[in-house]
């Protein structure tokens, strides 16, 4: 039977989503989840596919994963049993039987990420774990930079070297900065994301927002399709995978 | 010269505010701050007084402390110099010269604490560090319990054994539950707090909110002035010292 789970995690103490090479001692979300499922399945190890391969330190409120179990189990019992075994920084928010052919990554039609950025001169210690920090950004310039990302572009300039994508063309359907006092809450939605794309695009907002680049220079850097001209990515701790959408399931 | 600083900290990795006995290896806010001030003062160690002796795990957004330095230093330079030396989980939000006779604890006229409590069935991993968790509380019952705390009472029932207060009578001037979705944000303000008083009063709200006690039973438990009949205190991680007020300085 095929199952689909919605996951939340605090990425701080994970080396990202993806299972590392055999023998690696790195703690990954996929590895910890597969361990728990194996205990549930009496030691039988099954592979788990995740919708987004979040980097080390990136959080999730709505990551989606799927896997196959040999025997049927009530989804609510599955959720409770997994949560009883999972560590405090990873939990199952929802479990359901998945339709035939469903794949957490391949069936996804869009993903929504949120980046939280404190812009006050001193960042509060209680915010460090879940927000980046870049003092004195100009909201008008940030908004102008965010508009540049909207639409279908070749995002080769923000594609990290380690990525495996065949094409670097992606469609950004939402790119919205919002402010709560001195905190920037930036939401970006796209059909798919290249490796480190979300953090690199936030790096672009920061560079323009503090005046290191003009909006036009950022536009040129995007058109150049060259990673070397792009500002540094924002730190992982401010980024959260908020939601994954599946057309057939809405 | 007498100085006053406003501090914010993430209490997770501190064994509370107060310096432990000599030889103790426990990391306290007071100890870390005194170390930084000693480095600034060329090795001369000066005692620091704090407004509230927060427990291990309790956070602060507006703790106030005062100390004496042998030579005058511009308060903004003092803030920057201390922040350059302090660890990431402790920072100085503001520094100023303090008037003669000012004492961070003795001059305080009131303190405001905030407790954040998630009441959804499953707590999000990203909220565990800064919020307690108690599923399925009834907002009407929580509001009724919170009203019982308002005014001048003998709070002996919530005075922890280790406290040093001469009297257990305190005046609570604010006791306000507010809700953001399934998250309870409770603010309590009083002229002074007994040791673990804030967390114990939240424990009372939880007991009534989930139906373990009736509001009248909680009122009787308060009148009894006996710690044994009072519900367990809520965990430290949900509590934050938000603000300390000083009459003469407003």
């Amino acid at each position: 039977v095929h199952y689909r789970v919605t996951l939340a995690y605090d990425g701080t103490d994970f080396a990202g989503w993806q299972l590392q090479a055999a023998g690696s001692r790195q703690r990954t979300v996929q590895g910890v989840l597969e361990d728990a499922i194996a205990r549930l399945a009496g030691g039988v190890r099954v592979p788990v596919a995740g919708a987004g391969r979040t980097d080390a330190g990136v959080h999730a409120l709505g990551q989606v994963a799927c896997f196959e179990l040999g025997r049927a189990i009530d989804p609510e019992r599955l959720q409770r049993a997994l949560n009883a075994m999972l560590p405090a920084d990873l939990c199952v928010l929802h479990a359901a039987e998945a339709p035939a052919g469903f794949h957490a990554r391949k069936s996804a039609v869009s993903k929504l990420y949120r980046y939280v950025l404190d812009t006050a001169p001193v960042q509060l210690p209680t915010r460090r774990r879940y927000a980046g920090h870049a003092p004195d950004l100009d909201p008008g310039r940030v908004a102008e930079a965010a508009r540049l990302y909207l639409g279908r572009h070749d995002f080769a300039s923000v594609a990290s070297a380690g990525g495996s994508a065949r094409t670097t063309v992606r469609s950004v359907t939402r790119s919205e900065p919002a402010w709560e006092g001195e905190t920037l809450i930036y939401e970006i939605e796209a059909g798919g994301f290249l490796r480190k794309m979300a953090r690199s695009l936030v790096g672009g907002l920061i560079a323009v927002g503090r005046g290191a680049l003009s909006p036009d220079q950022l536009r040129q850097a995007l058109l150049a399709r060259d990673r070397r001209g792009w500002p540094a990515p924002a730190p992982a701790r401010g980024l959260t995978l908020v939601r994954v959408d599946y057309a057939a399931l809405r």
Side-chain angles (χ1 to χ4, degrees), chain A:
Chain A
V1 189
H2 203 45
Y3 291 95
R4 167 198 164 156
V5 288
T6 306
L7 305 168
Y9 45 86
D10 180 328
T12 312
D13 299 326
F14 287 106
W17 165 266
Q18 198 159 12
L19 204 62
Q20 305 292 313
S24 161
R25 304 190 58 85
Q26 292 209 293
R27 182 175 183 261
T28 68
V29 181
Q30 187 184 12
V32 168
L33 183 62
E34 289 188 358
D35 288 348
I37 293 169
R39 281 178 61 191
L40 188 77
V44 182
R45 234 189 142 75
V46 297
V48 172
R53 294 177 187 138
T54 53
D55 279 336
V58 175
H59 314 291
L61 293 176
Q63 169 77 285
V64 175
C66 64
F67 52 89
E68 198 80 31
L69 285 183
R71 63 186 176 90
I73 174 170
D74 173 70
E76 282 193 26
R77 270 197 56 210
L78 175 64
Q79 181 196 5
R80 278 199 304 273
L82 287 175
N83 281 339
M85 290 187 290
L86 290 171
D89 52 357
L90 171 61
C91 79
V92 177
L93 295 178
H94 184 251
E97 277 194 35
F102 174 84
H103 186 280
R105 181 168 45 80
K106 293 176 193 160
S107 309
V109 295
S110 72
K111 286 175 203 137
L112 174 66
Y113 279 93
R114 181 183 299 146
Y115 199 95
V116 180
L117 190 70
D118 287 323
T119 69
V122 178
Q123 185 175 33
L124 292 174
T126 48
R127 310 249 327 151
R128 275 185 56 85
R129 208 172 160 100
Y130 305 111
H133 182 226
D136 295 323
L137 298 192
D138 181 291
R141 291 174 67 99
V142 169
E144 207 173 331
R147 275 195 297 274
L148 294 174
Y149 301 154
L150 276 171
R152 187 174 171 82
H153 303 283
D154 185 338
F155 284 101
S157 292
V158 295
S160 178
S164 58
R166 280 161 303 177
T167 163
T168 48
V169 174
R170 293 291 184 275
S171 285
V172 171
T173 50
R174 189 203 301 208
S175 173
E176 284 181 9
W179 292 83
E180 284 186 4
E182 292 184 283
T183 298
L184 168 63
I185 295 157
Y186 172 67
E187 293 198 336
I188 181 159
E189 189 166 39
F193 286 82
L194 300 160
R195 191 147 176 246
K196 287 202 188 160
M197 175 173 159
R199 288 165 54 197
S200 292
L201 292 179
V202 173
L205 298 187
I206 293 172
V208 171
R210 72 176 180 210
L213 287 183
S214 70
D216 194 60
Q217 284 172 316
L218 189 72
R219 194 175 61 85
Q220 296 298 336
L222 186 60
L223 291 173
R225 291 180 285 171
D226 181 347
R227 294 188 297 117
R228 289 167 298 180
W230 194 264
R237 66 182 199 267
L239 187 65
T240 299
L241 173 56
V242 173
R243 201 177 68 210
V244 184
D245 284 327
Y246 299 91
L249 297 172
R250 295 206 85 176

